[in-house]
Structures are given as structure tokens and as C-alpha cells.
Amino acid sequence: MFDIAELPFTVGEEEKQKYVAKIQEVGSYQGYKLRQFWHIDAGVRDQIEHYNFHTDVTLKEHPEALRPFLPEIDGFVRHNYFNILLPLFRLLALGLELPEETFVEKSTLASPLSDTYFRFMKYYPRSSEDEEKTKNVWLKGHTDSGALTLLWSQPVSALQIRTTDGEWKWVKHIDNALVVNAGDSLEFLSGGFYKATIHRVHQPPPDQRNLTRLGVFYFSLFDDDVKLLPLVRSPVLQRVGITRRMDDELAPTAGVYRKARISSYGQTSLKEGKDKGVEEEEIAGVVIRHYN
């Protein structure tokens, strides 16, 4: 799949423009996110490009280079959904002592109710000036907005996870392995029992700094009509308590939250948070933190 993942980045700029995602207009990544769309820090814009598919890969037209490989892409999307995502959702539901299908029922495949997306993503090296201005951070520490994110391991290091002690740890590459990050929506529904993973993208180590970094991702979102409220019927939550990020009456749907997060990312001015090295903004009634 990594060979196919290279293809959208071989497309000419004129053709790319035909398939640019309407990120700010509709809060969706379907299509291209081109380089320098996001503001990272200190006036520096990103050098990251990605192409995104809806889980119904026939929903929209794709660049010509990708069309012969749509059956393979569709098969890989289904593999991620049926063989990886659904078993994880069932385990997470059992962890809350809820029926196995609790989360499965909230995330349908290839449905207009969901904007779950599959992504090919390429990170390009930056100038020494940009690295200095951003302290070598390519994407500030953040949490994903969705339920679970599946990242297929690849050899160029850049992903770091923030520990509970506030330290950043490199994620080691293992062939054919997966990195699974929990997102905000799962944290909301689990009443804080499953914490969203705080992660960032950092300049690779010295021996890899001149390489491009190619990523393959599956961003699982709950269906747009799912209200992001704690599952209070969980016996586990009844025993350990619930941590809420917003008042129940203000809780957005997954669709409202997804659109607000996507359309605003890298476009808004952040304010200094209460904790050192943390910036904040409020989106859809939720305080979003960015860790630097």
C-alpha cells in the first residue's frame, strides 16, 4: 500500500487543484490538503501534503493516477475497518462493561452518515530557518478529533507521544505494525476513561532529515449524528466516575465537532493556556489544547 500511497504526490499541480478538499468551507478533508495550508508557529507554514478518501472510495472522483488502484485501496480500507477497527471497538466496549457492539453501531462504513477518511500523507523536509523558528516541531502536540486513528508504521521517525509526565517519546518503527491513537470523541463517550492520545510530529533524527516521510492512516470518526455524551449506563463509569470536557447540554454531535475542528485547524489564533507550554482555543464549546 505504501507504493500506491506515493501516487497522489506524483500528480501535477494543475490536476491537484481539481481535487483540493473543501476544508474550511465544509470541514472535510476529502481530497488534497496542499502544503502551506496550516500555520505551525512563528509565521512558519507546513510542508505536509495529504490526499484523503471517504471510506466509500467511489463517492468522489480521484486523480487519474489513482483510478486503476481503487479496488486495492477499497480492499485495504475494508481490512482496516473489519479486521482492525471493529475488534478494537468491541474490546473498548467490553472494557466499559457495555454490549460489544456499542461503539461499532456508532461508526458505519462507506456511509453518508460518516466522514471517516483514509489518508496518504507526505512530509517534506523544511529549511533550517523554519526548523529554528518552530524549535523543530512540524505539528504541535494535539489530540485527534475522532474515535480511533490507525497509523501504519513506517521507517522515518517523526511521531512522538506525550507521556503523563509531560515528556515526549519517539514511537519506534516496527515492520507491518500499527500505532493506534485514541481521539477526543472516544474520550467524550467514555467519560474520560479512555484518554485521547497527545502526539506531535517532530523533525526526524539527523540521519533521516533529508528524507521525505510517507504515511498511511485510517481516521475513524463516529457517525455525524452521534451525540458526544458520556455513556453513563456503563457500570465501570458508575464505579470510577465521569470526567467531562463540556456540560452535557452543550455537547456537540460528532459531525458538528468534526467540521469545527477540521475547518479551524492551523487557521486560528491560539491563546496562552493555564499550563506552561500549552496554547488553547475553544471549538464547538470544547477547550482544545495545543502542546508545544
Side-chain angles (χ1 to χ4, degrees), residues 124-187:
Y124 295 84
R126 303 191 310 182
S127 69
S128 57
E129 290 181 349
D130 283 357
E131 294 293 357
E132 184 178 356
K133 287 179 181 178
T134 60
K135 300 180 177 64
N136 307 110
V137 173
W138 289 8
L139 287 178
K140 292 179 182 179
H142 63 283
T143 55
D144 293 339
S145 65
L148 290 176
T149 303
L150 309 179
L151 303 85
W152 286 88
S153 186
Q154 51 78 53
V156 180
S157 298
L159 179 64
Q160 295 182 332
I161 302 296
R162 190 174 188 264
T163 69
T164 54
D165 296 327
E167 294 184 46
W168 294 102
K169 298 288 188 180
W170 292 98
V171 176
K172 182 180 179 180
H173 168 60
I174 301 174
D175 285 340
N176 296 315
L178 278 169
V179 178
V180 181
N181 286 340
D184 286 345
S185 296
L186 180 65
E187 180 174 329

Side-chain angles (χ1 to χ4, degrees), residues 63-122:
E64 188 172 352
L66 286 168
R67 294 173 197 168
F69 300 96
L70 289 178
E72 287 86 350
I73 294 168
D74 179 63
F76 194 67
V77 166
R78 291 177 176 276
H79 170 66
N80 279 265
Y81 180 77
F82 287 108
N83 299 329
I84 302 169
L85 183 68
L86 295 194
L88 288 174
F89 273 159
R90 292 182 177 116
L91 288 171
L92 291 167
L94 292 173
L96 291 171
E97 298 177 14
L98 290 169
E100 281 192 25
E101 303 301 298
T102 297
F103 293 122
V104 171
E105 294 168 351
K106 301 179 188 304
S107 183
T108 50
L109 178 71
S111 165
L113 292 174
S114 172
D115 206 57
T116 288
Y117 50 100
F118 178 64
R119 171 180 293 177
F120 298 145
M121 190 168 187
K122 197 161 191 177

Side-chain angles (χ1 to χ4, degrees), residues 16-82:
K16 284 180 183 177
Q17 290 295 331
K18 298 177 183 177
Y19 301 100
V20 170
K22 296 181 178 180
I23 297 171
Q24 290 183 282
E25 298 91 334
V26 300
S28 173
Y29 280 130
Q30 311 300 334
Y32 279 105
K33 196 290 296 179
L34 300 177
R35 284 188 268 180
Q36 299 196 337
F37 182 76
W38 293 326
H39 173 253
I40 304 303
D41 200 13
V44 175
R45 305 195 75 80
D46 74 280
Q47 291 296 333
I48 302 168
E49 188 166 288
H50 50 74
Y51 188 82
N52 304 274
F53 303 80
H54 190 273
T55 52
D56 177 357
V57 300
T58 66
L59 192 63
K60 292 185 177 182
E61 187 178 64
H62 302 287
E64 188 172 352
L66 286 168
R67 294 173 197 168
F69 300 96
L70 289 178
E72 287 86 350
I73 294 168
D74 179 63
F76 194 67
V77 166
R78 291 177 176 276
H79 170 66
N80 279 265
Y81 180 77
F82 287 108

Side-chain angles (χ1 to χ4, degrees), residues 247-287:
D247 293 335
D248 285 359
E249 60 269 21
L250 300 177
T253 61
V256 167
Y257 188 63
R258 178 258 304 171
K259 292 173 185 177
R261 283 289 305 272
I262 290 176
S263 63
S264 64
Y265 186 81
Q267 310 298 320
T268 55
S269 297
L270 306 177
K271 63 181 182 180
E272 188 175 342
K274 297 177 182 178
D275 299 328
K276 183 179 179 181
V278 178
E279 297 169 302
E280 296 180 349
E281 60 182 330
E282 185 172 317
I283 298 177
V286 183
V287 175

